Each structure stands twice: as structure tokens, then as C-alpha cells.
Amino acid sequence: MDARDAAFFALRRRLERLGDAEDVAGVLTGAAAEEAAALARATDPEQDLEASLALGLFHWSRFQALPEDAKEAEFDAAVRFLLPVYRLAPSAVPAPLRDFFAHSTAKTEEAERVDLMVGRATALSRAYQNSGRLPQLVEAVGLFRDALPMIPEDHPAHLACLSNLTVTLLALFERTGDIALVAETTDTARRAVRATPEGHPGLAGNLNSLSLALRASSVRTGSTALLAEAVEVGRRSVQASPEGHPDHARHLSNLNATLQPLFERTGDTALLAEGADAARRAVQATPEDHPDRPGLLNNLSATLQTLFGRTGDGALLAEAVEAGRQAVEATAQDSSDRARHLNNFGAALQALFGRTGNTGPLAMAVDVQRQAIEATPDDHPERAGHLNNLGAALQTLFGRTGDTAQLAEAVDVGRQAVQATPQDHPDRAPRLCNLGNALRTLFERTGDPQASAEAVQVYRTASRITAATVLVRLEAHRELAALLTDVGERLAAAESAVALLPQVNLRTLARDDREHRIGRIGSLAEVAAAAALAAGDPQRAVELLEATRGMLVADVIDARGNDVARLREHAPALAREFEDLRDRREALDRSSGRTSSAAGAAAGRPDRTRGEDLAQARQRAQSEWDSLVGRIRTVDGFAGFLAAPDITELTAQAADGPIVFLTTASARSDALVVTGDAANPVRVVNLDRLTRQDASDRAEQLLQARRIATSLDQSSAARKAAQQDILDVLAWLWDVVADPVLTALGRTGLPPQDADWTRLWWCPVGVTGYLPVHAAGHHRDLGDADAAVKAAPRTVLDRVVSSYTLTVRALAYARSHRPAVTEATLIVAVPDAPGTTPLTGVEAESEAVAALIPAASRPGHPVRAEVLAALPTHPVAHFSCHGLADWTDPAASRLILHDHETDPLTVADISALRLTGSLAYLSACDTSSTNPRLADEAVHLTGAFHLAGYRNAIGTLWPVDDGSATQIATDFYTRLTSDGSTPPDTAGSARALHHAVRALRGDYPATPTFWAAHTHTGI
């Protein structure tokens, strides 16, 4: 007998004795276990069914007899040995195991079916990526959906199926735009993330999918909260897939693509800089032959275009164009991504035209956009966006060529874009506005009333889409107010636009981002004023001008004004809480933590943690501010706390002289004269000879002429001719603006004596801010001996004392605070700052001022920290140095001190101060110059000192000759100090400057660059 038979018969005898209770224990002995083990070693259970049956029954008996904690191994062994028996002779197997095997077999067949479904779904999904055929993707989604509930949640395949279903749902939503998929996609992605433990290799991918799902949901619904969550989840996905991870680059690129729309919603440039950094790293980490590289290049190009639009840095645009070109070249002709890459490249080419003015890139952009549309299926959700971009390119090309056929095509593709966009889609509003712009231009070109009517309808529809961004809805209301013919509807549209301004949420942004966001609002002030005037309500026009201008400083002025002083008297605890919060918000302003333009993004990763902390801190502070102001307004007598002033409050500021708003709109130009007359608080002087185009053309003429007139590179003849051009502009400005205003005010001649000079405050709006109305006049007449001409000179300088103010509220604020009783004066003279042209007249000017104010402080080597420390204790500050107006970033405009290269003294620095100064005299270049998009914000050095608390600020509109600057300053302080015998009487600043300028003009009437640049702002 061999070993197999010996072991088999020994085991069978034990099994036969199981009928006796005392023999049950026989299968539990060590000898029994050895016999079973010997049989198992000597046979193949799959082939020897007789042995398999004996072994299976043996282990089944032990399973029944052993305690619970020892059963599992015996059950597994019984199943293993009896399964081959069950397949051929089910009746030989104990009944409980027959049921188990029957169920297990069914489960095995189901598992095989699930495997087949998942395998086919995976293959279809991959095939769709190559072919772009929608039926393949639809079937893949259906198979994953059906397979998921068939897989136990604790089985590893369940998580894999969840992940795959998320990816295919995302692809299906992107392909169809079906909003019904949004909730399912996001829910499935969340489930996948919840089911993935930390450290699991699939966590990064599932986080990335969730980020994409949240982004898609946000884009479709307009929810900024979902988009912010998408960014946070995207950052986690990048952290979970560090460098070297196969998906590191893809997750970086997806994070970038999520940061960009969040920037568009919030205006926070730190987000955009972070995105550009992520996009560059993604491209750098991807081999040139990798299939993902075209998409990564495309995402990089898109972000760089946006960052260029924010910063104006041409190097960013060049990089964007090159990345876009490479993306298109690396994309196969039959790739489903080709249309997207063409569309983005076309947008880059449009931006290149805007930068260079070269029509070549623009024509190429139109061609590329057409190719993008041809490559996009008719039912693809991205087709609408591609059509919209083509329409924008055609409008721009029409502006260059004047070809009406291009404009008509722009209207046609604009209509197609709108029709292809779902009714409730947030992008429908900007596409409607783009169509409206084309229709408005068509109406202006052809006079077609149907084009105008359709434009009104599309703007009205856009204004009502609440899912759109605030800036888009504001644009729609503004354009309605400009186009509507019914005066009541026009005013209603303008007021709707103004009502949206608080939602722009400037206080959650860094200073330079606020400026950029305000610049996008456009000519709302002029449109709103024109609408109110057309409705016959000049008082409302003034109120709207106050509400739409000076937005950067309005809440700062209000938070420091009389309302707060009243609150201290009536509710001191609330006042302390308010002042603490105000100080915290202003400290957050000083800690901008911004990444400047391309440099910060290119130098490495931006300091994202710091930027996030600041953004969150600003958001919290804004939320607390809104809540606190709401509580204060419930206190008796404070319902209007920090609210915009009404006409009664505004006209009170005209007691010392009229305040004149100058406005130009598409249909009319006016001077709104705020008077102290309660019966007639606002007088309207129609400037029927002034148009916006004329104002713009003359401002450009003035700019070019003063550049030539002050350039040593030009010939003497050219400089003299340019001075005559400036005199021509000043004469024109008298004829169309100053003369009608002064005539209406009865200021028709030279005042008989000094005491009779009338004070007048100019408040120019929009492009009129670039016209020196204080110097308007026919100055060539001064040599005329005619008595009538001498008695009624045609110049502003010979009729009134001019000052400027940004808003009436700014003037009220300047009047509301007085400096401490002190005679301290600070003279900051910098003739030779590093890296600059020496200023030969600075020493003479500072010596002349010091001779008149001998107690003045004069730092020997002025630097930023020293000056900032000195300003609070010196109510009079005189600067004689270079000034630099930065039009790209106006908050970075600066006074050039000795450490300007490393630590510049900027507009942002000065605006953040809270002082009670009397006079800031800025004898420097361009201190009152700023970017046209911020003309209504006074973001320049003169405005900054005035906001900081200097009741009077004197600045310049352009570079001034050293000798002239010295003469005006000397004459000014001579008058202000009674020839050096008293401390400066700053209350007379406006009159002193006026007469100093008149005196210099008398010496050099044919050289207006010497005397027309100086301006007074303040009381």
C-alpha cells in the first residue's frame, strides 16, 4: 500500500466513526491532522476527487466542532477540497456548502461580467480620446455607471470604477455641455476622494478629477465658492503628485487652468501669478514628444495672455504667442484638441495686434479662429466660445480696415455664438455684450435703426443674467444707458449700473488689483451723468458723479470723516470698534504681498501662502466691516452712516466758490456747476462745441506738443512750434469750455483788486482730466494794447483762482480736519539721485525756500524711511526732486529719493498715511499724471498727498524747467510767508500759486510749458 492509500484509508476510518459522539473528538486530534496533511501531500485534490471528498468532509467536521475563533481556516480548507467535488457531484457535498457553492458561482459569473463591462468601458474611453466620437464616450459612461453598483464598496475595484466614471463624466460634460451631468460628476468625484485613503497611489488623480469637476460646475453655474474650492483641491492634487510623479505636470496644468477663472472672478493677481508659475513648471517637466505637451503649452499660453492683459508686459505676450504656436504645431490634424488650441492661438495673435498695431497678426488671428470653428463639431459646447472670439477679432479688424463686410460677419457670428450658448449659462452675458458691441458699431457706421434696436435688446438680456459677473452686467447696463432713447429708461439703466458698484468688492484686493478692476468699469461716470441730464435732473447727475468717481478713496475718506467724529460722541464703544477695524484694513492695504507683473512669476514660485493669507484676511475684514456698518446704521441718527452724500450735503461745499464738473458723453458735453444756492444748487452749462472725440484729440495734441517742447533732443524751431501748439490747445479749451462756464458765472473780466478774485474748483471727468482748464485762454492776446481786451482778458488765469478736486467729498474731507498748531516745515531736496539726470535747479530752489522758512528741516540725504517718519510732524512738506508717473502700475508712481532703486516712495505708500497736513508742494515732474483708465481716480502723487491728509497739494502735469520751477516756488512762498516774515499761511495756497503762475506767464507768455503745468488741489 502506498503512502496515498495508507493516509486515505486512515482518514476515511476516522470519518466513519463520526456517528458516535465520543468519536467527534477523533477528528480534532493531532494524529488526525497529520493523517489529513499526509493525504493532501500525496495527492492532487483537483484530480483525485475521492481524496478531495475525504479531506473536505474532514475539515467540514472540524469546522463544526471547533470554537468560533478557530473555525475560519477549517472552513476555507473544506471549501478548497470540496469545490472540485461539487462541480461533478453536488449531492456528495454537505447541504450548507451546496448553497454556498451555488451562490459563489453566481458571484463569479457576475464578477466576470463586471470585468468585461469595465474593460470595454475603458477601451471605449481611450478610443474616444483619439477619435473624438461622441457615441464611444456615451457608451463608456453607461458601462461604468452600470458596473459601479455591482462591485462591493470594500472591493478595490469599486474605487477604480468610481475614478473612471468621474473621468468619463467630465469628458462627456465637456463634450456636450449638458448641465444635468454637473451634479452627478461632482458627486461621483467627491465619493472617489472620500473612498481614497491618504497615501493611496490614486489619491492625486481623484483630487485632480474633483478639482476639474468643481471647476466645470462653477463655470456652468457661476458659483465663485465652488471655483475657490476647486483651486484648493487642485493644490492638494499637486502636493499629492510631487516632482517625478507621472501625473505631476498634468495636475500642475489643471491647477493653472482653475486659478485663471478664479482670478477673473476676484481680480486677485496673486492667483494669476501662481497659475503662470504652475503652467511653466508643467511644460518644463514634460518631454517634447509627450502626448500631453500640446495641451500643457496651450494652458500656459492662455494664462500668459491673461497675465499680459493685467500687467502690459510685452515679454509675457511674446511667450504666450510662442507657446500657442507650439501647441498648434504639436497637435495632430485629427485631434479633438486642435480646435481649442487654434482658438487660443488666435486670441494670442489678437493681443499681439493690440500691442504692436501690426495688422498682420490680426488678419492671421481671424484666419486661425475660422480654422478653429471648422475643426469644432456643430454640437460641441466650445463652439460658441470660438464663434464669439472670431466675432471679436472681426470687430477689431473692421476698426483697422473700415470694411463693413467684416463688421456684418462679426454680427452674424456673434448671433451664432449667442444661439449656441444655453440660456442659463454665465458666458451668455459676455457673448451678448460682444454681439451688442458689434451691432452698436454697425448702427454708428450705417445708421441702421434695426441694428440699434437689436443692440438694446441684447444688452438688456445680458443685464438680467444674474449668473454673469458683476463687471459684465455693469457693462450691459452702461451700454443700455448710452443707447436707449427713452430718458426714463436711460436713467434707470445708469442707476442699475451704479447700484452694482458695491459688488465689485475692491476691498478684498491688493491696491494694484483694485486699480485694474476699476479701470475695467470704463466711462460709467459720464454715461450716468448724461442720462440724468437727459432726464432733466442735474442734481441727480451730480450725485451719480460722486458715486462713480474716486472709488479707490471714497471709503477711506468716509472712514476718516465727520460721521466717525459724530459716532465718537454718541456711541464711543462702537466708534472704538470701528476705528480698530478701519486701522486693521488700512494695515492690510499696506501689506500688499503682491507679485509684480511677470518678474515675480518668472523668478520662481510666488509666495502663495502669504498671498492667500492676505486675501483671506481682507475678505474677513470686509465681512466684518459690512456687518459693523450695518449695526451702526441701526443707531438713532446714524441711518446714513458712510452713505454717499445727497445733493444738500454736496452743495454745502460750494459756499466758498462754485465746483464745476466737466463731462463729455457720446451725445452731449456739459459743465455741472454746483453752487451754494439752495434754490438752484446745480446749474447746467451746455458745452455744445465740445465732443468727446475733440477732447481726446486735443489731449493727444497737448501730450505730443509738450513732449517735443520739453525735449532737448528736438531743434529750437521744433520746440518753439510745439509751444505754439500748446497755446492753440489752451485757446481752444477757452472757447469750448472755460469761456461758457465763466460767462455763465458772471466772471467776465479781470477782478479790480486782489480781494475780488473768485475761487473756483474744477472737477473734470474722464478725458477732460487731461486738459489743463486752469490755464485755458488766448494767452497771445496779452500783448494787445486794446483797453477792452485788457479789461476782459480771455484767460482763466485772469478771471478766477482755480483749484482742482477729485470729488466734492474729497474737498469736504480736506476742510474737515486741521493740523496741530505747529510751524514745522520739511524740505526734501534730491538733486542727484542714483541713476537719474542731475537736477541743476534743485539746490537753488531749496535754498530759496529755506531762506523764506529758516526753521525748516532739511534732511541731508533723504531716503524713504526718513521721509515717511518725518511727514507726521511736519504739516508743510516741500519736495524738489524727480518724479516718475508709472502708467502701467499707477500705485507705483514715485518721488525719486536717494534709495529709489531699492526702496521707492510710491503713491501706495503715501496714500496709506493718515496725517493732518496743511501743504504738500511737489516740485517734481508728472506728479499729477496718471493712466487714462484711472482718470477719475486721481491715482498720482498729488492725489496721494491730498488723500493722506494734506489740505493743499501742489503738483505738476508734466516736466517743468528748473528755472521756472524755482521762480514759481520762490514767488509762492514769498507770498505765503509775507516775504519770509511769518510761517507759511497755507490757507492762501491756491491764491499764492495762482499769482506766482500769472507772474511767470507775464515773463514768458509764449512758453506755456514753464507756467501751465502747476496745479492746486484742495481747500
Side-chain angles (χ1 to χ4, degrees):
M1 182 182 296
D2 61 17
R4 180 266 178 199
D5 290 343
F8 171 73
F9 287 120
L11 189 61
R12 191 173 68 176
R13 282 195 298 271
R14 286 187 182 275
L15 292 173
E16 289 172 350
R17 291 196 295 270
L18 284 177
D20 300 328
E22 62 192 48
D23 290 332
V24 172
V27 297
L28 302 178
T29 64
E34 178 55 35
E35 291 169 358
L39 178 58
R41 287 194 300 271
T43 186
D44 179 358
E46 290 288 338
Q47 303 298 324
D48 189 350
L49 294 184
E50 187 178 41
S52 292
L53 179 60
L55 286 166
L57 292 175
F58 170 77
H59 286 292
W60 179 249
S61 299
R62 286 172 63 88
F63 166 75
Q64 291 178 307
L66 287 170
E68 289 296 326
D69 59 353
K71 285 179 177 291
E72 185 175 354
E74 298 303 327
F75 180 81
D76 290 344
V79 168
R80 185 171 69 255
F81 288 117
L82 289 173
L83 180 58
V85 178
Y86 172 81
R87 289 172 179 157
L88 292 177
S91 61
V93 174
L97 284 179
R98 285 200 302 271
D99 294 339
F100 172 79
F101 285 136
H103 182 65
S104 296
T105 302
K107 288 182 65 177
T108 300
E109 293 172 352
E110 182 177 281
E112 291 176 352
R113 186 164 71 253
V114 168
D115 287 344
L116 289 172
M117 292 168 64
V118 170
R120 176 166 174 74
T122 303
L124 286 166
S125 178
R126 289 173 180 166
Y128 166 75
Q129 293 175 14
N130 294 322
S131 70
R133 292 182 59 234
L134 183 58
Q136 293 174 324
L137 184 59
V138 171
E139 185 179 354
V141 167
L143 288 168
F144 280 129
R145 278 177 178 152
D146 293 342
L148 185 61
M150 299 168 68
I151 307 172
E153 291 190 6
D154 58 352
H155 195 287
H158 185 84
L159 177 57
C161 192
L162 265 176
S163 302
N164 288 331
L165 177 56
T166 301
V167 171
T168 51
L169 282 169
L170 271 169
L172 186 59
F173 169 73
E174 291 172 355
R175 177 65 177 79
T176 64
D178 184 358
I179 195 171
L181 294 168
V182 169
E184 180 187 2
T185 305
T186 306
D187 177 66
T188 305
R190 290 191 191 280
R191 289 167 58 195
V193 169
R194 286 195 299 266
T196 311
E198 289 291 333
H200 190 285
L203 179 60
N206 289 340
L207 286 167
N208 181 67
S209 294
L210 176 57
S211 177
L212 294 176
L214 290 165
R215 184 179 80 199
S217 181
S218 169
V219 170
R220 191 63 182 82
T221 63
S223 169
T224 302
L226 286 175
L227 194 52
E229 183 184 358
V231 165
E232 287 306 313
V233 174
R235 287 171 176 151
R236 288 176 58 197
S237 76
V238 171
Q239 292 169 356
S241 56
E243 292 183 16
H245 190 285
D247 291 325
H248 177 67
R250 184 179 302 154
H251 294 176
L252 277 169
S253 188
N254 286 338
L255 172 60
N256 158 56
T258 309
L259 286 160
Q260 185 169 344
L262 186 58
F263 159 76
E264 294 291 350
R265 299 275 182 87
T266 66
D268 187 350
T269 306
L271 297 169
L272 198 57
E274 180 188 353
D277 172 68
R280 285 195 182 101
R281 289 160 55 202
V283 171
Q284 292 165 2
T286 307
E288 291 191 5
D289 59 350
H290 195 285
D292 285 349
R293 188 172 175 86
L296 303 182
L297 285 164
N298 183 71
N299 285 353
L300 172 61
S301 175
T303 300
L304 291 172
Q305 289 177 57
T306 308
L307 192 55
F308 160 73
R310 173 62 185 83
T311 66
D313 187 336
L316 289 171
L317 180 58
E319 186 182 356
V321 171
E322 179 59 20
R325 182 188 62 78
Q326 291 182 30
V328 170
E329 290 179 351
T331 306
Q333 289 288 336
D334 58 351
S335 171
S336 59
D337 292 328
R338 184 168 180 80
R340 182 183 297 121
H341 297 175
L342 284 164
N343 177 69
N344 185 54
F345 182 43
L349 290 168
Q350 285 188 64
L352 183 60
F353 160 74
R355 173 76 175 182
T356 65
N358 187 344
T359 309
L362 182 58
M364 185 185 297
V366 170
D367 180 62
V368 168
Q369 296 287 8
R370 288 191 174 120
Q371 292 179 50
I373 293 169
E374 291 172 3
T376 310
D378 289 344
D379 61 346
H380 198 290
E382 291 182 359
R383 183 177 178 85
H386 298 173
L387 285 163
N388 183 69
N389 288 349
L390 174 59
L394 286 165
Q395 289 185 62
T396 306
L397 188 59
F398 161 76
R400 189 72 171 189
T401 66
D403 186 346
T404 309
Q406 292 165 344
L407 185 57
E409 184 183 357
V411 170
D412 180 58
V413 297
R415 288 173 179 147
Q416 293 180 52
V418 170
Q419 290 167 359
T421 306
Q423 292 283 337
D424 58 348
H425 198 292
D427 286 343
R428 185 174 176 84
R431 289 167 190 168
L432 281 163
C433 285
N434 192 38
L435 171 59
N437 295 342
L439 288 162
R440 184 198 61 217
T441 306
L442 185 62
F443 165 68
E444 292 169 352
R445 179 61 180 250
T446 66
D448 181 1
Q450 291 185 345
S452 176
E454 186 180 353
V456 166
Q457 184 57 44
V458 297
Y459 283 131
R460 181 177 282 123
T461 303
S463 72
R464 294 171 178 170
I465 299 177
T466 56
T469 65
V470 173
L471 289 177
V472 170
R473 294 176 61 206
L474 193 152
E475 176 191 353
H477 283 299
R478 183 189 67 218
E479 296 303 326
L480 273 176
L483 272 176
L484 287 164
T485 55
D486 182 275
V487 294
E489 290 183 350
R490 284 182 64 189
L491 181 55
E495 291 183 326
S496 294
V498 174
L500 287 171
L501 286 175
Q503 297 181 37
V504 177
N505 287 333
L506 296 174
R507 270 291 178 173
T508 64
L509 300 175
R511 169 68 185 238
D512 53 347
D513 288 336
R514 287 184 217 168
E515 293 172 3
H516 180 73
R517 207 156 176 80
I518 286 177
R520 293 181 60 185
I521 292 173
S523 57
L524 178 58
E526 296 148 294
V527 170
L533 289 172
D537 194 345
Q539 296 180 30
R540 184 58 179 153
V542 170
E543 290 174 339
L544 290 173
L545 286 170
E546 283 290 299
T548 51
R549 302 175 69 254
M551 292 175 60
L552 281 170
V553 301
D555 64 343
V556 175
I557 290 173
D558 292 342
R560 301 175 183 177
N562 286 331
D563 275 3
V564 182
R566 288 197 308 114
L567 188 65
R568 287 194 207 101
E569 296 177 9
H570 293 84
L574 275 177
R576 283 193 297 273
E577 184 179 354
F578 176 84
E579 289 172 329
D580 287 345
L581 180 54
R582 177 195 63 193
D583 294 346
R584 174 149 61 93
R585 291 209 311 167
E586 293 183 2
L588 288 170
D589 283 350
R590 290 190 288 274
S591 302
S592 68
R594 66 178 183 244
T595 302
S596 63
S597 66
R605 298 188 190 185
D607 186 359
R608 180 172 59 79
T609 301
R610 176 172 169 76
E612 286 171 21
D613 290 344
L614 281 171
Q616 291 166 1
R618 290 192 190 102
Q619 289 167 359
R620 286 193 299 271
Q622 182 61 37
S623 178
E624 293 174 35
W625 180 273
D626 293 339
S627 175
L628 179 56
V629 169
R631 283 192 286 130
I632 293 172
R633 287 176 177 174
T634 65
V635 177
D636 286 346
F638 286 86
F641 183 75
L642 299 193
D646 61 20
I647 194 64
T648 302
E649 298 172 88
L650 296 173
T651 54
Q653 296 303 318
D656 294 334
I659 302 166
V660 182
F661 289 90
L662 301 175
T663 70
T664 61
S666 57
R668 61 183 297 161
S669 296
D670 299 274
L672 302 179
V673 183
V674 181
T675 72
D677 184 355
N680 187 22
V682 180
R683 297 176 60 184
V684 179
V685 179
N686 181 242
L687 305 177
D688 54 4
R689 297 175 61 187
L690 175 66
T691 68
R692 179 187 289 179
Q693 188 60 53
D694 284 344
S696 180
D697 291 345
R698 292 291 186 164
E700 181 62 27
Q701 178 185 354
L702 179 66
L703 178 65
Q704 295 299 330
R706 71 91 171 158
R707 283 176 177 168
I708 295 171
T710 57
S711 173
L712 296 179
D713 295 333
Q714 299 289 329
S715 67
S716 175
R719 292 199 301 272
K720 287 182 179 179
Q723 297 285 2
Q724 294 303 308
D725 284 345
I726 296 173
L727 289 173
D728 287 343
V729 172
L730 297 180
W732 167 85
L733 191 55
W734 167 266
D735 293 338
V736 302
V737 175
D739 184 35
V741 171
L742 296 185
T743 298
L745 290 172
R747 306 304 169 191
T748 56
L750 182 71
Q753 54 188 356
D754 186 67
D756 294 331
W757 283 92
T758 296
R759 293 290 309 280
L760 185 149
W761 281 262
W762 300 103
C763 193
V765 179
V767 70
T768 62
Y770 291 88
L771 299 173
V773 66
H774 71 284
H778 289 267
H779 298 280
R780 297 186 184 95
D781 290 355
L782 295 178
D784 196 321
D786 186 273
V789 173
K790 287 187 174 183
R794 296 185 298 168
T795 66
V796 174
L797 280 170
D798 297 303
R799 301 274 185 102
V800 294
V801 174
S802 292
S803 296
Y804 288 91
T805 184
L806 171 60
T807 62
V808 179
R809 274 188 288 182
L811 184 59
Y813 170 63
R815 288 169 171 166
S816 70
H817 62 272
R818 295 181 180 276
V821 179
T822 176
E823 300 173 357
T825 296
L826 177 70
I827 300 175
V828 179
V830 186
D832 55 354
T836 66
T837 303
L839 295 172
T840 56
V842 165
E843 291 289 356
E845 179 179 318
S846 60
E847 290 293 339
V849 175
L852 293 164
I853 313 174
S857 300
R858 299 176 65 186
H861 190 77
V863 293
R864 174 181 178 274
E866 182 182 18
V867 170
L868 287 176
L871 288 176
T873 56
H874 293 81
V876 176
H878 181 92
F879 288 82
S880 183
C881 57
H882 278 294
L884 174 65
D886 189 331
W887 278 27
T888 300
D889 183 4
S893 298
R894 69 207 71 162
L895 290 171
I896 305 300
L897 307 183
H898 283 287
D899 59 346
H900 72 99
E901 293 177 323
T902 57
D903 200 14
L905 180 63
T906 67
V907 162
D909 292 328
I910 299 159
S911 299
L913 300 174
R914 186 160 70 248
L915 307 173
T916 51
S918 298
L919 167 67
Y921 191 119
L922 310 180
S923 185
C925 304
D926 295 321
T927 59
S928 298
S929 177
T930 191
N931 191 306
R933 64 184 173 84
L934 293 171
D936 289 331
E937 296 298 319
V939 185
H940 46 59
L941 288 159
T942 307
F945 273 95
H946 189 44
L947 173 63
Y950 285 91
R951 306 176 82 203
N952 300 278
I954 291 171
T956 59
L957 294 171
W958 54 71
V960 179
D961 170 77
D962 275 1
S964 301
T966 299
Q967 184 172 335
I968 289 178
T970 303
D971 194 348
F972 173 83
Y973 285 105
T974 298
R975 295 173 185 274
L976 219 58
T977 63
S978 298
D979 203 13
S981 63
T982 66
D985 179 11
T986 57
S989 295
R991 293 180 184 275
L993 180 68
H994 171 80
H995 290 298
V997 168
R998 285 187 76 229
L1000 186 62
R1001 185 204 51 178
D1003 294 338
Y1004 303 98
T1007 315
T1009 56
F1010 284 7
W1011 46 264
H1014 282 72
T1015 64
H1016 172 267
T1017 299
I1019 64 171

